[in-house]
Amino acid sequence: MGKEELSMGIVIKNVIAAVGDPATAKAVNLRIENGVISAVDEQPLPLSAGDTVVDGQGRFALPGMVNAHTHLPMSLFRSLADDVSLDTWLHKHIWPAEKRLTPDDVYWGSLLSLAEMIKGGTTQVADMYFHTDSIARAVSEVHMRATLSYGIVAGKLDEHGKDELGKARAAIERWHGASGGRIRTAVSPHAIYTCGMDVWTAAVDLAQRKHVPLHIHLSETRAEVAWAKEKWGDTPVAALDKLGVFSVPTIAAHCVHVTAQEMEILARRAVTVVHCPKSNAKLGNGHAPVVSLLNAGVNVALGTDGAASNNSQDMIEEMRMASLLQKEHLEDPTVLPAQEAAIMATRNGAEALGMGARRIAVGEDADIVLVDLSGVDTIPAYDPFSALVYAGHGSDVTDVIVAGEYLLRDRKLLTIDEERVKYEIGRRIGRLSAN
Ligand SMILES: [Zn+2]
C-alpha cells in the first residue's frame, strides 16, 4: 500500500458493530484513517475525496479475532492422523512427519493457515513452532499481526539445551518489531514435560532480558499433571509458579486440569489462559473450567491450536465450541453467553498480546472484520452476537482490515495468492505423509 493510499480513509456505512467495552451491538458509521479508528458515530459521516466507502448493511463489524494459540505450519498435517491417542498421534505420526519438514514446507504451510485464518476473520495470531524465519517471512508478506516464538524442547541446559535457547534468542533479535511493528515475539519453553527446570529458568531469564512474554503449553492432560507431581513434586501451575516463571507476562495454552488454588495463582500472576476447546475435545483431554477461571478473574482468550489436532482454524467455530461445551458440562444454558465468547475471541486476546484492536472505539488500531449476517444460515439476526456465535461460519466473513489495510475484500484475499498456495501444498503431501 502506497503512502497516498494510507492517508485516505475507509468509511463503513450503516453497520451493526460490536462497539465499546464490554462490546454491545449498535448501528453506527465507522471511519478508519492512518491505521486507527478515527470515528464511530450513529450519524452519517462526512466523506472526503479518495475515501473507500463500504456499505455495511446486513453485516456485523467486530474487532479482529485473535487466535491466541496455534502452530501455523501444522496445517500441512491436517487429517494425517485423527481418532488416535495423543501418544500415538505424536510418536507415530506428527513427530516423524515433522522431521521431514524443510524451511520451504514451513513457509507454504504457514501461508495455507494464514489464508484460512484471514478468510475466517482472524487478524492476529500467537504462534509457536520451529523454522521461525519461514513463518515470519510468510506473516510479514501477508501483513497479519503475529506474536512468534521458537518452541524450545530440551530436557536440560546441556549443549542441545543451549542451542535451543540460542534459536529462541535469534528469533527475537531478528523479528521483534518487524513488518512495521505487526510482528512481535515471545519465548516458548514448550511444556513442563518437555523442558527441564534449568531450561525453564534460562527461558524466563531470556524473556526478562528481551522484555517479551512467555507463550507456553500448560496443564493440557491428566498425564501431564501426574508427570509433574512425580518429577517436580507439584501440579504444573504450582510448580512453575514456585520456580518464578510467572514473574514474566505469560500466555498459557489449555489449563484444562487446574485446581481452585491454581486458578487463584493464574489470576494473581495475571497469566492469560488460552482456551482451545475443539482441540481439547477432539484429543479427549477433557474440558477447561472456563467459567471458574473467568470468575476467578483470569483473562481467558481463545485459540484453535494447530490444524493437525483441530482440524480447522475457524475462530467462529471456536467461540461456539467454547460456549456450548461450558453449557453442556455445567448443565446450565446461562453460562458463557455469545457476547462473552466474542469478547474472549477479540478483546481478551488483543489485551494478552498487547497489540491490535481491543474494541471498536476511537483511537483503537483499525483491525476490523465484517461478517455477513444476511445469509440463510444466520437470518433473522435479532441478536447479532447470537447469530454470529451459534449460527455463523468463517465463510460468512466478507472483509478483513488490519491496521487500516484491507487483507480480505468481498471474500477475496488481497495479500495471498490462494491458487499458488494450494498448488504448493499439493506437491508436498506425498513426501510429508510417506511412511
Ligand atoms: Zn499447542
Side-chain angles (χ1 to χ4, degrees):
M1 186 177 260
K3 270 191 183 135
E4 300 117 60
E5 277 178 274
L6 256 186
S7 62
M8 291 188 278
I10 299 172
V11 174
I12 305 170
K13 292 193 336 187
N14 305 319
V15 72
I16 304 290
V19 174
D21 197 1
T24 41
K26 223 174 175 185
V28 291
N29 299 279
L30 303 171
R31 169 176 275 279
I32 293 166
E33 233 163 353
N34 299 320
V36 297
I37 300 168
S38 59
V40 179
D41 206 319
E42 286 168 51
Q43 303 303 318
L45 295 167
L47 299 177
S48 308
D51 279 344
T52 301
V53 181
V54 180
D55 182 9
Q57 200 80 42
R59 297 195 268 182
F60 188 26
L62 304 170
M65 288 185 272
V66 181
N67 189 337
H69 178 69
T70 191
H71 312 283
L72 290 168
M74 291 192 87
S75 53
L76 289 163
F77 306 133
R78 181 167 15 222
S79 84
L80 176 67
D82 294 321
D83 311 320
V84 293
S85 74
L86 179 61
D87 205 47
T88 306
W89 185 75
L90 278 175
H91 288 90
K92 286 222 165 116
H93 302 283
I94 298 301
W95 286 344
E98 282 184 336
K99 285 208 178 81
R100 301 190 193 105
L101 284 178
T102 65
D104 257 7
D105 294 335
V106 166
Y107 169 77
W108 288 107
S110 298
L111 281 181
L112 174 62
S113 285
L114 293 167
E116 178 191 3
M117 286 182 181
I118 294 170
K119 290 182 92 171
T122 296
T123 55
Q124 179 171 189
V125 299
D127 180 79
M128 177 204 301
Y129 211 61
F130 50 97
H131 292 310
T132 316
D133 288 349
S134 300
I135 299 168
R137 187 158 64 93
V139 167
S140 61
E141 282 173 14
V142 310
H143 299 184
M144 273 251 298
R145 291 187 199 273
T147 298
L148 304 178
S149 57
Y150 174 81
I152 299 164
V153 175
K156 48 181 182 304
L157 200 59
D158 52 11
E159 209 171 309
H160 167 73
K162 285 178 185 156
D163 189 50
E164 289 284 276
L165 260 299
K167 286 178 180 167
R169 188 186 317 112
I172 297 167
E173 287 170 358
R174 206 165 298 161
W175 293 105
H176 194 75
S179 192
R182 290 186 205 184
I183 293 182
R184 289 190 180 180
T185 56
V187 178
S188 284
H190 172 273
I192 195 165
Y193 59 94
T194 49
C195 290
M197 248 182 233
D198 51 356
V199 176
W200 275 96
T201 305
V204 170
D205 182 55
L206 176 63
Q208 249 154 4
R209 276 187 289 118
K210 297 292 185 188
H211 304 288
V212 298
L214 290 177
H215 175 194
I216 65 174
H217 292 105
L218 185 58
S219 289
E220 181 176 5
T221 65
R222 284 189 200 284
E224 176 184 337
V225 175
W227 189 95
K229 278 186 187 164
E230 198 195 314
K231 305 281 184 187
W232 288 52
D234 220 330
T235 50
V237 177
L240 292 179
D241 186 46
K242 276 183 196 151
L243 198 65
V245 168
F246 305 133
S247 59
V248 173
T250 302
I251 299 144
H254 304 307
C255 297
V256 175
H257 301 286
V258 287
T259 63
Q261 273 162 319
E262 287 184 309
M263 290 189 220
E264 194 268 323
I265 293 172
L266 294 168
R268 185 155 36 88
R269 300 292 189 205
V271 172
T272 288
V273 168
V274 184
H275 180 40
C276 304
K278 191 174 162 201
S279 170
N280 295 154
K282 184 160 166 289
L283 293 172
N285 284 335
H287 73 279
V290 175
V291 173
S292 303
L293 284 163
L294 289 167
N295 287 342
V298 177
N299 183 47
V300 183
L302 276 184
T304 59
D305 213 343
S309 64
N310 189 304
N311 298 3
S312 76
Q313 299 177 101
D314 178 345
M315 287 295 289
I316 294 178
E317 181 173 88
E318 216 61 41
M319 289 193 272
R320 178 151 61 241
M321 288 288 291
S323 176
L324 297 189
L325 288 177
Q326 293 300 306
K327 294 178 195 301
E328 188 248 19
H329 179 71
L330 298 171
E331 298 184 30
D332 182 352
T334 67
V335 298
L336 229 171
Q339 188 184 7
E340 197 165 0
I343 289 169
M344 283 166 64
T346 56
R347 184 195 69 190
N348 294 3
E351 294 269 12
L353 299 176
M355 62 175 162
R358 292 159 296 176
R359 56 188 72 87
I360 292 183
V362 172
E364 287 283 318
D365 285 327
D367 295 3
I368 290 183
V369 167
L370 297 182
V371 187
D372 182 11
L373 293 184
S374 70
V376 289
D377 57 338
T378 47
I379 56 164
Y382 297 117
D383 179 330
F385 286 106
S386 286
L388 173 77
V389 172
Y390 300 131
H393 302 91
S395 54
D396 294 325
V397 171
T398 62
D399 294 46
V400 173
I401 296 166
V402 174
E405 180 188 358
Y406 256 110
L407 305 192
L408 184 82
R409 180 106 198 245
D410 297 329
R411 294 191 170 88
K412 192 175 168 3
L413 290 165
L414 301 185
T415 54
I416 301 181
D417 181 345
E418 197 174 337
E419 289 310 311
R420 174 82 195 275
V421 171
K422 284 158 85 171
Y423 165 77
E424 292 289 348
I425 298 303
R427 68 194 203 92
R428 285 172 160 77
I429 53 177
R431 174 170 50 81
L432 292 176
S433 63
N435 276 312

